[in-house]
Amino acid sequence: MLPLNNTDIVNGVRNRDKQVFEIIFNQFSPSMFSIALRYLRDQDEAQDIVQDVFLNLWRTADNLDERAPIQHYLARATVNTCLNRIKKTQRQQQYTKEQQFTSTESTVEHLLLEHKELEAQYLSILEKLPEQCRRVFEMSRFKGLSPAEISQQLNISINTVYTHLTTALKKIRLGLLNQQ
């Protein structure tokens, strides 16, 4: 087939002439691939873009302007399609980051709420302990006193201190398990 001028190409594409379309595909797809590869730096993506551009050319053939050279139309369409793909990828990456942040923020909030609920349960159980048992436990856990120091301050035997601590821990453990 003889080389075609721009008007012949546009008319051929508008009339859905497969031979004309094949000619322009074979002639211009390598240079469109180079353009796409320059923007995307990925051969598979670049090939997808070139196919999209030519498929879009086929679909919108009626809108072609015969005054504009077809290679300019194809180059502009390739660049625009690449830029759209890059923007879409960036939006997806941003969305993924936001989802991870939201997920992390939600997890932290959930953990804080669970901590507050657990603390409230713990304090409720602690209040229900017998007075001497609670006092021993608080001196041990909150004030950091040793069993010997507690024994000395409360004037009770060290074995009584251990008994109160054991009792307090059992009741707290059971209370927390029963409330879950």
Side-chain angles (χ1 to χ4, degrees):
M1 189 170 223
L2 296 172
L4 301 172
N5 65 33
N6 197 63
T7 304
D8 294 334
I9 291 172
V10 170
N11 288 332
V13 172
R14 281 183 182 164
N15 294 325
R16 307 296 197 272
D17 184 329
K18 291 180 183 176
Q19 284 183 323
V20 170
F21 193 79
E22 190 175 322
I23 289 170
I24 62 168
F25 182 82
N26 290 335
Q27 183 177 351
F28 297 115
S29 64
S31 57
M32 298 309 116
F33 175 78
S34 294
I35 292 170
L37 190 59
R38 227 176 301 136
Y39 277 89
L40 302 174
R41 297 188 173 134
D42 181 295
Q43 289 187 353
D44 292 335
E45 287 278 326
Q47 285 180 328
D48 286 347
I49 293 292
V50 171
Q51 288 185 6
D52 288 348
V53 166
F54 278 95
L55 181 62
N56 194 44
L57 173 67
W58 184 262
R59 287 182 184 150
T60 62
D62 296 333
N63 300 332
L64 279 177
D65 182 1
E66 56 191 47
R67 296 172 294 180
I70 194 73
Q71 63 266 29
H72 292 188
Y73 168 84
L74 291 171
R76 176 56 37 210
T78 301
V79 168
N80 288 341
T81 306
C82 287
L83 293 175
N84 289 339
R85 180 78 54 98
I86 291 167
K87 286 178 188 174
K88 181 180 178 182
T89 302
Q90 288 172 340
R91 281 192 308 268
Q92 287 172 336
Q93 290 172 346
Q94 181 63 31
Y95 177 77
T96 301
K97 284 180 185 177
E98 288 172 4
Q99 288 299 93
Q100 288 173 344
F101 177 75
T102 303
S103 173
T104 303
E105 190 176 81
S106 166
T107 302
V108 168
E109 286 175 11
H110 179 72
L111 289 174
L112 285 173
L113 183 61
E114 278 184 2
H115 175 74
K116 286 180 181 178
E117 289 174 3
L118 191 59
E119 185 178 27
Q121 291 171 355
Y122 168 75
L123 291 174
S124 172
I125 294 166
L126 202 57
E127 286 177 10
K128 294 176 186 171
L129 290 175
E131 187 179 335
Q132 184 76 349
C133 184
R134 185 180 75 244
R135 188 176 311 140
V136 169
F137 183 79
E138 288 174 346
M139 290 174 82
S140 170
R141 297 302 191 255
F142 299 148
K143 294 181 179 176
L145 299 177
S146 71
E149 293 170 321
I150 296 169
S151 168
Q152 199 173 35
Q153 282 189 16
L154 296 178
N155 201 22
I156 57 176
S157 75
I158 197 159
N159 287 336
T160 304
V161 171
Y162 284 121
T163 301
H164 283 308
L165 288 174
T166 302
T167 302
L169 289 171
K170 280 183 184 178
K171 287 187 177 191
I172 290 170
R173 194 176 305 121
L174 284 173
L176 290 175
L177 287 174
N178 290 336
Q179 290 183 7
Q180 289 183 355

